[in-house]
Amino acid sequence: MVIRILYLFLILLLSSCEELEIDEDSIFENECAQNYSACEELGNECENGNDSAFDLLGYECQNGNDNACDVLGNQCAQGSYYACEELGNECEQGNYYSCDELGDACEWGNSYACDILDAEEPIPGIISLDQYINGSTASFNWEGNKFAFSYSFRLESQSYEDPVGIYINWSDWSSDTLVTLENLDEGQYIFQVKSRFDEIEQSEPTTINFEVDAIPGPALRIYPLNQKANVGDEIDVYLYFEEVPEESAVTGLDIDIQINTDELEFITDEFQYGELITGFPGTTIYPDPSYSDDGASVSIVGVADSSGIGIYGTGSIARLRLMVKGQVGTFTILIYQAENAFQNIYGDAHGFNEPVSGSVTVEETGQ
């Protein structure tokens, strides 16, 4: 019985791939799909250039069998034009592993691999980019070309000189082609996405412009709407006028900003008035803000007058600096405005819309 098994093995070993009539249902395919040695044996037996063998290895490589791609890569690196050509076919179809194997063979000095790789031009890029804006949430989806295997994105703000918040830095590389960005602040943005093949990055990001206009004016809002911080950080938040028209110009202002002192703490000597007040051409009387005894709120009170006009527009009223304390979670920075919080030159109350408070998401240090 043992002799008979050895005899059958020798017949298989010495027979050419062509004589075995290899096809996609052959024993080689079944074994190669699970066993690197079977793929390697197939490559060794068929290194004479049998097209059926290389087609079979290419089929396995295309269907995610890294063993088959690896064997083709080794054959290509050793000078087999057929193996290099098969890898080129798979690379052209967008098989990253095949392209990578060609690159390795080229680095090892195989001119076939270099020529085929150059012909394929593995330059990643974005084919399409679409957007959907809903309030302060924006969703984007895109499609890469056959050489785009991972992506990175970021936001560029067009409305803030020194933007604060999330999404302003390039994201980690990922194969995802859809992203939803939440808690976006009012203003103009450019969404940027770029693709990568191995270490080759898209030369210029693909971009699309959009606007967030979710808060109807006149209103007060906190900028940024949300930001991330670690325990112990100092963060800046801004109180903004949003779309206050000239007919609603404010000459008298009296509002409070409230926090939970278990979560956050005002740094009282870092308060600053914003550009709408410091750049106001008329007369302003804005004393230092008043902090409550428990440190949970700050009152901003002032008067501004320029021939009865007052302050209007979109811009910063004040900057507050906060210390993040020891708790982890998402914490609210609340705007409180009474009915008479905004007055005109005659002392009549302006009808502002509901304020939009902000928040800070606190993570453990190092996250």
Side-chain angles (χ1 to χ4, degrees), residues 236-286:
D236 289 337
V237 296
Y238 298 81
L239 181 64
Y240 260 70
F241 266 10
E242 178 64 27
E243 297 177 351
V244 177
E246 185 173 349
E247 57 267 27
S248 297
V250 174
T251 57
L253 176 69
D254 185 358
I255 57 175
D256 289 350
I257 307 295
Q258 301 174 351
I259 59 172
N260 186 326
T261 55
D262 292 331
E263 305 161 348
L264 302 167
E265 178 183 341
F266 288 113
I267 302 177
T268 58
D269 59 354
E270 293 290 344
F271 179 93
Q272 291 182 357
Y273 283 108
E275 71 269 11
L276 284 189
I277 291 178
T278 59
F280 185 68
T283 302
T284 61
I285 303 174
Y286 274 86

Side-chain angles (χ1 to χ4, degrees), residues 69-81 83-85 87-88 97-117 198:
C69 297
D70 195 30
V71 169
L72 280 173
N74 291 336
Q75 292 288 329
C76 176
Q78 294 169 18
S80 170
Y81 176 79
C84 296
E85 187 176 43
L87 285 173
Y97 201 91
S98 297
C99 301
D100 196 41
E101 288 290 340
L102 269 178
D104 290 343
C106 177
E107 289 181 2
W108 294 336
N110 187 312
S111 59
Y112 294 148
C114 297
D115 292 342
I116 292 173
L117 194 62
D198 200 10

Side-chain angles (χ1 to χ4, degrees), residues 320-333:
L320 303 98
R321 184 160 292 174
L322 303 173
M323 169 71 76
V324 178
K325 303 182 84 169
Q327 296 193 39
V328 173
T330 297
F331 309 128
T332 301
I333 302 165

Side-chain angles (χ1 to χ4, degrees), residues 181-194:
L181 311 181
E182 299 177 324
N183 294 319
L184 297 180
D185 292 285
E186 301 289 283
Q188 303 284 339
Y189 294 92
I190 301 175
F191 178 80
Q192 304 177 342
V193 60
K194 58 184 178 180

Side-chain angles (χ1 to χ4, degrees), residues 5-52:
I5 293 173
L6 288 174
Y7 176 75
L8 291 173
F9 175 77
L10 288 173
I11 290 176
L12 289 172
L13 184 63
L14 296 175
S15 298
S16 69
C17 301
E18 193 170 356
E19 289 170 343
L20 288 172
E21 298 181 351
I22 295 173
D23 58 32
E24 294 174 1
D25 297 320
S26 72
I27 189 171
F28 283 108
E29 178 188 3
N30 294 333
E31 290 298 320
C32 179
Q34 305 174 22
N35 189 322
Y36 177 82
S37 297
C39 295
E40 188 175 40
E41 185 63 32
L42 180 60
N44 291 338
E45 288 298 314
C46 305
E47 63 183 0
N48 60 357
N50 186 289
D51 290 342
S52 297

Side-chain angles (χ1 to χ4, degrees), residues 197-344:
F197 167 81
D198 200 10
E199 297 301 320
I200 303 173
E201 289 188 19
Q202 184 175 332
S203 57
E204 294 291 337
T206 301
T207 63
I208 190 169
N209 293 52
F210 70 99
E211 180 182 12
V212 173
D213 187 15
I215 302 174
L220 274 179
R221 63 182 172 96
I222 292 291
Y223 171 76
L225 191 58
N226 175 263
Q227 63 179 300
K228 291 184 178 180
N230 295 120
V231 172
D233 284 351
E234 294 183 3
I235 61 171
D236 289 337
V237 296
Y238 298 81
L239 181 64
Y240 260 70
F241 266 10
E242 178 64 27
E243 297 177 351
V244 177
E246 185 173 349
E247 57 267 27
S248 297
V250 174
T251 57
L253 176 69
D254 185 358
I255 57 175
D256 289 350
I257 307 295
Q258 301 174 351
I259 59 172
N260 186 326
T261 55
D262 292 331
E263 305 161 348
L264 302 167
E265 178 183 341
F266 288 113
I267 302 177
T268 58
D269 59 354
E270 293 290 344
F271 179 93
Q272 291 182 357
Y273 283 108
E275 71 269 11
L276 284 189
I277 291 178
T278 59
F280 185 68
T283 302
T284 61
I285 303 174
Y286 274 86
D288 290 339
S290 174
Y291 293 90
S292 63
D293 291 339
D294 61 2
S297 67
V298 56
S299 295
I300 302 172
V301 180
V303 176
D305 177 36
S306 177
S307 301
I309 296 177
I311 296 174
Y312 61 93
T314 295
S316 173
I317 294 296
R319 186 206 74 182
L320 303 98
R321 184 160 292 174
L322 303 173
M323 169 71 76
V324 178
K325 303 182 84 169
Q327 296 193 39
V328 173
T330 297
F331 309 128
T332 301
I333 302 165
L334 181 68
I335 301 173
Y336 173 76
Q337 63 185 42
E339 288 186 6
N340 61 347
F342 311 98
Q343 299 178 4
N344 62 20

